[in-house]
Amino acid sequence: MVRKRRTELPTAAGGESSGSAQDAPGGSGSGGGRGSQPPAAATGGNGSGGGRGSQPPVAATQQGAAGMGFQGGRGWGPQSQQGGRGGGYSGGRGPPQRGGMTSQQQQFTVPTEHHGRSRGGPPPQQHPAAAAAYEPGSRSRGRGGGGRGGEQPVSHGGPPSKPSSSDLHQATQESYAAGGTPHHVPSEASSSRPPAESLTQQLQKVSIQQEGSPSQAIQPVAPSSKSMRFPLRPGKGVTGRKCIVKANHFFAELPDKDLHQYDVSIHPEVTSRGVNRAVMEQLVKLYRESHLGKRLPAYDGRKSLYTAGPLPFISKEFKIILADEDDGTGAPRRDRDFKVVIKLAARADLHHLGMFLQGRQADAPQEALQVLDIVLRELPTTRYCPVGRSFYSPALGRRQPLGEGLESWRGFYQSIRPTQMGLSLNIDMSSTAFIEPLPVIDFVTQLLNRDVSTRPLSDADRVKIKKALRGVKVEVTHRGNMRRKYRISGLTSQATRELTFPVDDRGTMKSVVEYFYETYGFVIQHSQWPCLQVGNQQRPNYLPMEVCKIVEGQRYSKRLNERQITALLKVTCQRPHERELDIMQTVHHNAYHEDPYAKEFGIKISEKLASVEARILPAPWLKYHDTGREKDCLPQVGQWNMMNKKMVNGGTVNNWICINFSRGVQENIARTFCHELAQMCHISGMAFNPEPVLPVYTARPDQVERVLKTRFHDAMTRLQPQGKELDLLIVILPDNNGSLYGDLKRICETDLGLVSQCCLHKHVYKMSKQYLANVALKINVKVGGRNTVLVDAISRRIPLVSDVPTIIFGADVTHPHPGEDSSPSIAAVVASQDWPEITKYAGLVCAQAHRQELIQDLFKTWQDPVRGTVAGGMIKELLISFRRATGQKPQRIIFYRDGVSEGQFYQVLLYELDAIRKACASLEPNYQPPVTFVVVQKRHHTRLFANNHHDRNAVDKSGNILPGTVVDSKICHPTEFDFYLCSHAGIQGTSRPAHYHVLWDENKFTADGLQSLTNNLCYTYARCTRSVSIVPPAYYAHLAAFRARFYMEPETSDSGSMTSGAAAGRGMGAGAGAGAGSGGRSTRVSAANAAVRPLPALKENVKRVMFYC
């Protein structure tokens, strides 16, 4: 796959989108309709059901069983339960006291005037919601070097990356009684502290809890190291049918060499790794025998050199001369002189790496791993073109044109990883986009897709050329053999024939055309074209396009268009059997046993794929409505269908309208389509009025805003006198609709407060039953219904979920595409709003600083002129929303966090767990439900293959391993709680299992408990009747963040001016989104965030439902 580019569009990557890939809104949240919510009754209640064993702060008045409610009227009011049309299963959603608490214990004071507001502050519509399907290039995430420990400072501040040496305390389950008064645990097992104390402060105080068994005694770690422990593996899972799978991990024998690290300084300093490597290569060639004790060092291209054993000096200076390229003029070549100083820095300790791999030491010694990685990269770096942790070359497979001057190169990914089987080398196939080494004129012709000599370039053409060529290296072709290389910095605003420049100090001007003719005898043909500007902006050099050719081997890192992505996917999409053969061939071709560097350092790599024990978890039973012919269903190989089934809670659509923006769809076709769709919704179990409020209306796409507002207004004029609302807008879109889809979603969700369902022209014409059934699923959740629930959820059989009210969060951050250097990142958080069913998720989004991975708005405080410091944020709002929808307070939090690379684990956990704690404490003193924090990773390179590709019982139709396959041994972390789960059936290509890594676990999940919960949740995804590849809350957070991109201001043009006059007036909603009021936090982050323009606010009725589906 393309690294750092999210190319798995849900449709391509596993059919996880419904038939309408265009649309992504959805609908759930609080129990259903939009009706007003009566304020709650009010007596005290023993709020938290177990306050972490800590005494309430003395300042709080002594509140007994009656006084500890979420006090101060912070909007925790129970809500009337408004389900869809009645549950189809017995035991529906009875009274709130089911959770093991009496109704009196469960009530909280809510003053009516603040009802629905989180204690003043910005109104809850402050976080628009948004939509991150696997957006190509939406995140540049990679695994990042430097591994786990937050060595790289996080952008924009945040928590210290190296916590103090005491372990963070993980609360024990016993301290959470399900209701009743808190158990008081002996003080060494509890961390009594004021509720809002930050985790970083806690770190200094908390006693170390040894979680390892005596046989696995953890070595004490020096105070300077990152000794905040992630949870240890609670044993291995045993549920499911056992089988063997192969993984693309190759065992690497740990060398017993004495590794030394040396600092390298090269003067004059150069930024190019290529030049640095050339200098060091020359040095080794000249001095290996005489001065380097015959050692073959490995070099990282920057400041570090590694050897297997000491060099015969502590520090030494060398003089190196690099000859410049022949300039073809016959003149003597210029030499470049370098002074290189090599100085002993440290010994890299492999003993600790061995201890870590055996599980006898807590921290991965990153330095030792890094050395081994650099050693194994040394040879491929000289042979191929390195990009991140991958290597590409035309020699590794044929080039494929991608269009617009790009081509794909094949390559492989390589990374050394610590695993339970010891060190392993992870090898995977990869492809990425490179710029074709064409003459610039040809590149531009391809880019603009027309013969460019016929008509002059428009401004839009210039912007496109400039964007595509900026930063690209070219070589000149008009000077014989002398192929000097330059990097393009821009385009001239004038045509080549108009350009002049000073040729001497007296200011004598000469035209570029004359200069090229007089100096090189070169006649410029395309003088009407601009020149390329190379060099710096102060003293630019001008090169006519026709004398330049693009240098080979430059990766294209900007955003690909849809056609290019499709072409690239076609190249990378390989059946599992083919991919496995290619990986084996790559390992064979790399011949690690002959690699001089691997030999020098004593690294031996197996040529066999790792054989790993796996288990296939059973699919869960799903509940449908009792009035359907099939009341429940057991999915087969990760899929099922809606035949003979009715949605478990059908939503209601009484009032709807349809707007058609596609010229090719006649009115009678549109009418028939709407009628068929209404019929399908009805058959599927919804109450759907077959007649629209107004007739279908056809409009031009450029009139989107005016038309939407007029039709909405006309519909409301009819409905309001009867006290009715408009429930749904159906929209027919042209297949290629540019910005129309995004504009429409923005206007509906942030302006009109209306959920919409978009359908493409091509689907409207086909009107297939399968498509209509999928669209019905989406419409149902957008209007507050439920499609299905887990049988185990309603019969209360899910460990650590069914026993007490549990809220499940999903969170994700999507970053702008590479090349967009200023637009904000978007964070989305969704949270379940029903219990015990856990299928409806409300979503919030906010914009934050460019490429900031920590979610800034989980918790925030700001100053209110009347009430002083006010606390709010996404977690608090979603907890209140859960309380309203279910009548219960969450007593357990499970937080699935997507998109965090290993190097950021510590930072994200410290910052975001702290925010969760503060949000809980801001609702009520001592309210600290236990938290389990799990990172979900899809962007890794582990692939699992069936042990026997011909065994029909071991593979699905696509040749992939079966859905439910889980691996928690051998290729997983030596000591921590992680597992690979392939929860979906493959469609095309090789399935990528999701990797789940538990960073915090106060709920004390067993391996089976968390693995089964995660797998079962994958069958509750609302948009299709298939299990999906990552847990739905994380998936919904993608969708929501992706959707919010459409709420942002229109992009600015190349010169920096706005392209749309409407932009300035739009959506600084009341305290909406990120920047608003974030000044209250005393971290450096808020300053970076202040500049981020908030997203327009989502309307209240929209954020309560799954609008992003």
Side-chain angles (χ1 to χ4, degrees):
M1 292 302 293
V2 204
R3 289 200 68 246
K4 297 207 169 167
R5 225 162 242 296
R6 253 205 153 139
T7 42
E8 307 138 278
L9 299 160
T11 20
E16 296 171 4
S17 118
S18 71
S20 121
Q22 205 2 301
D23 190 36
S28 144
S30 71
R34 293 210 184 122
S36 67
Q37 295 134 340
T43 53
N46 161 332
S48 81
R52 222 182 206 195
S54 53
Q55 311 284 352
V58 190
T61 51
Q62 285 299 322
Q63 303 158 306
M68 258 185 57
F70 290 150
Q71 25 147 275
R74 302 201 178 174
W76 276 96
Q79 249 343 81
S80 55
Q81 313 274 352
Q82 310 161 295
R85 280 184 319 131
Y89 46 85
S90 56
R93 300 183 70 218
Q97 63 260 42
R98 288 178 311 180
M101 290 187 136
T102 68
S103 56
Q104 266 168 332
Q105 286 172 318
Q106 268 296 334
Q107 292 167 0
F108 304 96
T109 319
V110 184
T112 48
E113 69 275 23
H114 285 326
H115 181 69
R117 313 261 312 235
S118 55
R119 183 113 189 274
Q125 72 248 44
Q126 131 195 7
H127 300 282
Y134 283 95
E135 220 291 284
S138 76
R139 295 219 181 94
S140 142
R141 243 196 222 150
R143 307 203 79 102
R148 253 306 149 60
E151 271 87 3
Q152 322 86 318
V154 70
S155 58
H156 313 303
S161 53
K162 296 202 175 184
S164 82
S165 61
S166 57
D167 286 5
L168 265 178
H169 163 67
Q170 308 234 352
T172 50
Q173 183 53 46
E174 298 80 283
S175 57
Y176 294 87
T181 48
H183 279 332
H184 288 290
V185 200
S187 61
E188 67 270 14
S190 79
S191 63
S192 48
R193 59 177 197 289
E197 174 174 287
S198 74
L199 279 184
T200 31
Q201 290 167 300
Q202 252 189 79
L203 280 169
Q204 276 101 53
K205 302 183 185 174
V206 174
S207 57
I208 295 179
Q209 259 196 323
Q210 282 293 5
E211 297 180 73
S213 58
S215 65
Q216 228 197 0
I218 296 290
Q219 294 263 321
V221 190
S224 63
S225 83
K226 304 164 294 293
S227 55
M228 180 185 127
R229 296 297 319 283
F230 296 140
L232 295 176
R233 189 181 300 285
K236 299 207 168 92
V238 293
T239 306
R241 176 163 65 82
K242 287 195 172 128
C243 65
I244 298 288
V245 295
K246 289 177 286 188
N248 57 342
H249 285 241
F250 298 84
F251 180 67
E253 217 172 282
L254 188 62
D256 56 356
K257 299 278 182 179
D258 191 10
L259 299 190
H260 285 64
Q261 178 184 350
Y262 292 84
D263 283 342
V264 173
S265 56
I266 298 177
H267 297 282
E269 272 194 46
V270 275
T271 50
S272 154
R273 282 193 188 197
V275 174
N276 286 344
R277 284 186 184 282
V279 169
M280 293 307 292
E281 196 182 333
Q282 185 77 344
L283 188 149
V284 172
K285 201 169 17 182
L286 294 174
Y287 298 114
R288 181 179 175 186
E289 299 294 320
S290 55
H291 290 69
L292 301 181
K294 300 192 176 170
R295 300 211 180 277
L296 181 62
Y299 176 51
D300 71 353
R302 296 214 188 280
K303 303 273 185 198
S304 296
L305 188 77
Y306 300 95
T307 57
L311 294 176
F313 55 79
I314 298 296
S315 176
K316 198 169 192 67
E317 187 177 301
F318 297 87
K319 293 262 191 300
I320 299 294
I321 297 169
L322 277 194
D324 209 1
E325 298 163 326
D326 184 353
D327 68 359
T329 57
R333 291 203 249 180
R334 287 187 314 163
D335 287 338
R336 298 169 72 186
D337 294 356
F338 293 96
K339 182 178 89 174
V340 182
V341 176
I342 298 176
K343 185 172 159 197
L344 178 65
R347 289 176 60 175
D349 190 353
L350 288 182
H351 167 70
H352 283 287
L353 180 54
M355 299 277 281
F356 171 72
L357 293 168
Q358 291 164 29
R360 289 166 54 205
Q361 176 185 315
D363 281 342
Q366 290 304 335
E367 295 73 24
L369 286 168
Q370 211 172 343
V371 181
L372 300 177
D373 214 33
I374 288 163
V375 170
L376 289 172
R377 295 172 63 76
E378 190 71 53
L379 192 61
T381 299
T382 57
R383 286 186 185 168
Y384 311 122
C385 175
V387 175
R389 289 179 176 249
S390 299
F391 299 94
Y392 298 95
S393 162
L396 293 171
R398 63 201 180 96
R399 307 171 174 201
Q400 297 280 358
L402 298 177
E404 297 193 10
L406 302 184
E407 59 184 9
S408 69
W409 284 20
R410 289 270 290 168
F412 64 93
Y413 167 93
Q414 166 182 303
S415 167
I416 198 139
R417 308 191 52 73
T419 63
Q420 289 172 36
M421 65 180 186
L423 281 180
S424 97
L425 191 66
N426 180 201
I427 302 263
D428 192 22
M429 302 319 295
S430 180
S431 288
T432 196
F434 277 76
I435 302 169
E436 279 192 69
L438 299 167
V440 170
I441 293 271
D442 296 356
F443 176 85
V444 171
T445 305
Q446 276 203 32
L447 180 73
L448 301 179
N449 201 13
R450 62 180 172 82
D451 177 13
V452 280
S453 55
T454 50
R455 66 169 196 260
L457 297 176
S458 67
D459 285 348
D461 290 340
R462 280 170 183 279
V463 169
K464 192 169 183 184
I465 297 168
K466 186 173 171 182
K467 267 191 169 165
L469 286 177
R470 189 185 283 150
V472 172
K473 235 189 225 167
V474 290
E475 54 188 16
V476 291
T477 56
H478 63 290
R479 299 178 65 178
N481 290 337
M482 187 205 170
R483 290 294 185 95
R484 273 205 80 170
K485 296 185 175 73
Y486 298 91
R487 201 175 284 282
I488 299 172
S489 58
L491 287 186
T492 58
S493 48
Q494 295 142 294
T496 303
R497 58 171 169 249
E498 296 163 18
L499 282 173
T500 57
F501 64 99
V503 282
D504 55 31
D505 297 340
R506 296 195 303 282
T508 314
M509 302 301 280
K510 181 169 277 194
S511 78
V512 169
V513 176
E514 278 173 357
Y515 174 81
F516 269 80
Y517 183 67
E518 290 171 16
T519 317
Y520 307 111
F522 187 91
V523 179
I524 292 174
Q525 304 290 324
H526 301 275
S527 62
Q528 78 283 13
W529 281 40
C531 273
L532 299 176
Q533 254 173 246
V534 297
N536 62 27
Q537 296 286 353
Q538 284 68 45
R539 295 193 45 241
N541 289 336
Y542 302 134
L543 291 175
M545 287 188 187
E546 62 210 80
V547 304
C548 297
K549 179 175 181 286
I550 292 170
V551 173
E552 184 171 75
Q554 297 179 78
R555 177 172 175 247
Y556 182 78
S557 60
K558 302 186 185 84
R559 184 179 185 174
L560 298 177
N561 64 33
E562 293 298 320
R563 281 193 306 281
Q564 290 166 332
I565 289 167
T566 307
L568 189 56
L569 279 173
K570 213 174 247 172
V571 181
T572 54
C573 188
Q574 286 182 294
R575 288 276 159 134
H577 188 49
E578 295 162 21
R579 193 179 193 113
E580 185 186 325
L581 287 174
D582 269 7
I583 289 170
M584 294 299 292
Q585 213 173 330
T586 301
V587 171
H588 192 66
H589 181 251
N590 287 353
Y592 295 101
H593 57 282
E594 289 169 13
D595 176 338
Y597 295 94
K599 271 184 176 164
E600 168 89 8
F601 284 80
I603 302 172
K604 295 192 185 74
I605 306 289
S606 159
E607 293 209 343
K608 274 209 197 86
L609 288 155
S611 264
V612 186
E613 283 182 11
R615 288 166 292 116
I616 299 163
L617 302 178
W621 279 89
L622 301 175
K623 181 78 188 106
Y624 282 93
H625 200 279
D626 287 342
T627 57
R629 230 185 301 167
E630 292 181 25
K631 298 175 179 54
D632 44 33
C633 147
L634 183 63
Q636 300 300 315
V637 197
Q639 47 193 323
W640 64 103
N641 59 45
M642 284 295 290
M643 298 213 354
N644 302 324
K645 301 177 193 71
K646 287 193 188 299
M647 296 150 174
V648 76
N649 292 119
T652 301
V653 177
N654 285 325
N655 308 305
W656 58 277
I657 56 173
C658 172
I659 301 176
N660 169 25
F661 286 105
S662 180
R663 271 195 325 209
V665 176
Q666 292 86 21
E667 212 153 291
N668 61 329
I669 303 267
R671 264 203 314 275
T672 310
F673 174 77
C674 288
H675 182 264
E676 289 290 313
L677 181 56
Q679 188 65 20
M680 179 59 81
C681 289
H682 174 73
I683 291 167
S684 303
M686 294 181 67
F688 205 107
N689 182 348
E691 292 305 316
V693 177
L694 304 169
V696 173
Y697 184 81
T698 302
R700 293 206 336 250
D702 58 356
Q703 305 276 308
V704 58
E705 187 145 7
R706 192 181 59 74
V707 170
L708 281 176
K709 290 182 175 173
T710 309
R711 291 306 273 177
F712 179 73
H713 179 264
D714 293 350
M716 291 309 289
T717 308
R718 287 202 183 179
L719 296 171
Q720 255 169 343
Q722 308 161 47
K724 293 178 180 171
E725 292 285 333
L726 188 59
D727 301 316
L728 177 71
L729 165 67
I730 295 172
V731 186
I732 298 171
L733 295 177
D735 292 343
N736 295 317
N737 56 69
S739 65
L740 177 57
Y741 174 80
D743 289 342
L744 187 138
K745 291 296 182 188
R746 187 193 74 244
I747 296 160
C748 285
E749 288 157 10
T750 67
D751 196 341
L752 304 178
L754 180 60
V755 289
S756 54
Q757 178 60 52
C758 296
C759 305
L760 292 179
H761 174 132
K762 60 185 178 190
H763 297 306
V764 169
Y765 261 88
K766 277 193 201 144
M767 251 182 271
S768 83
K769 288 275 184 271
Q770 180 63 60
Y771 171 73
L772 292 170
N774 277 356
V775 174
L777 293 176
K778 291 165 53 130
I779 290 175
N780 188 45
V781 295
K782 288 177 191 181
V783 298
R786 274 196 204 90
N787 294 338
T788 185
V789 297
L790 297 168
V791 168
D792 277 358
I794 49 177
S795 55
R796 301 293 191 84
R797 287 200 300 255
I798 303 178
L800 294 180
V801 172
S802 300
D803 55 343
V804 296
T806 298
I807 187 168
I808 300 183
F809 285 91
D812 191 15
V813 178
T814 65
H815 300 296
H817 296 284
E820 291 178 24
D821 44 12
S822 62
S823 51
S825 292
I826 287 182
V829 180
V830 303
S832 58
Q833 299 291 293
D834 52 351
W835 181 83
E837 300 89 348
I838 48 173
T839 53
K840 286 184 177 187
Y841 291 82
L844 299 174
V845 296
C846 67
Q848 58 186 41
H850 177 71
R851 305 212 82 79
Q852 166 63 275
E853 185 56 58
L854 308 177
I855 301 176
Q856 300 303 297
D857 268 19
L858 288 182
F859 175 77
K860 59 183 188 182
T861 55
W862 62 94
Q863 292 302 319
D864 180 275
V866 182
R867 283 158 304 155
T869 306
V870 183
M874 297 161 105
I875 298 284
K876 180 171 180 176
E877 188 174 334
L878 288 165
L879 289 171
I880 290 169
S881 170
F882 177 96
R883 174 75 182 82
R884 287 215 188 102
T886 63
Q888 314 226 35
K889 252 183 342 179
Q891 290 181 46
R892 183 179 289 116
I893 292 174
I894 299 169
F895 196 94
Y896 285 104
R897 174 66 156 92
D898 190 22
V900 182
S901 64
E902 288 180 356
Q904 295 176 307
F905 278 4
Y906 282 96
Q907 296 161 341
V908 169
L909 177 66
L910 270 174
Y911 187 85
E912 296 183 4
L913 182 58
D914 190 33
I916 295 168
R917 292 267 167 83
K918 285 175 172 165
C920 292
S922 75
L923 286 163
E924 172 186 298
N926 286 340
Y927 173 58
Q928 289 296 328
V931 177
T932 294
F933 193 106
V934 186
V935 166
V936 187
Q937 292 176 308
K938 277 285 281 191
R939 307 176 64 74
H940 59 77
H941 283 269
T942 294
R943 298 291 180 277
L944 302 173
F945 304 103
N947 196 33
N948 173 2
H949 290 280
H950 305 296
D951 179 356
R952 290 266 159 220
N953 297 322
V955 293
D956 62 19
K957 277 190 297 204
S958 67
N960 277 291
I961 53 171
L962 294 169
T965 304
V966 66
V967 168
D968 61 3
S969 64
K970 212 158 177 186
I971 58 169
C972 293
H973 192 280
T975 57
E976 289 168 14
F977 187 2
D978 71 328
F979 56 92
Y980 290 96
L981 171 65
C982 180
S983 49
H984 64 298
I987 290 187
Q988 52 179 357
T990 305
S991 295
R992 185 193 314 226
H995 183 225
Y996 295 90
H997 201 128
V998 182
L999 301 192
W1000 193 254
D1001 183 26
E1002 292 172 332
N1003 291 300
K1004 297 285 176 268
F1005 271 95
T1006 62
D1008 281 331
L1010 190 61
Q1011 289 164 11
S1012 296
L1013 170 66
T1014 304
N1015 186 54
N1016 291 351
L1017 285 173
C1018 291
Y1019 286 80
T1020 65
Y1021 185 64
R1023 306 200 318 169
C1024 54
T1025 51
R1026 304 177 64 92
S1027 63
V1028 288
S1029 60
I1030 62 169
V1031 71
Y1035 207 142
Y1036 294 145
H1038 277 321
L1039 296 179
F1042 183 42
R1043 168 66 55 81
R1045 285 254 162 241
F1046 297 129
Y1047 302 160
M1048 281 164 43
E1049 307 302 328
E1051 304 213 351
T1052 52
S1053 72
D1054 193 64
S1055 61
S1057 61
M1058 298 299 283
T1059 51
S1060 151
R1066 198 184 318 124
M1068 292 294 287
S1078 61
R1081 260 196 330 269
S1082 62
T1083 61
R1084 288 171 308 183
V1085 180
S1086 39
N1089 250 19
V1092 177
R1093 175 177 283 185
L1095 298 170
L1098 272 177
K1099 293 294 182 192
E1100 273 303 306
N1101 59 327
V1102 172
K1103 62 162 99 144
R1104 282 202 300 269
V1105 294
M1106 293 166 76
F1107 65 91
Y1108 43 78
C1109 273

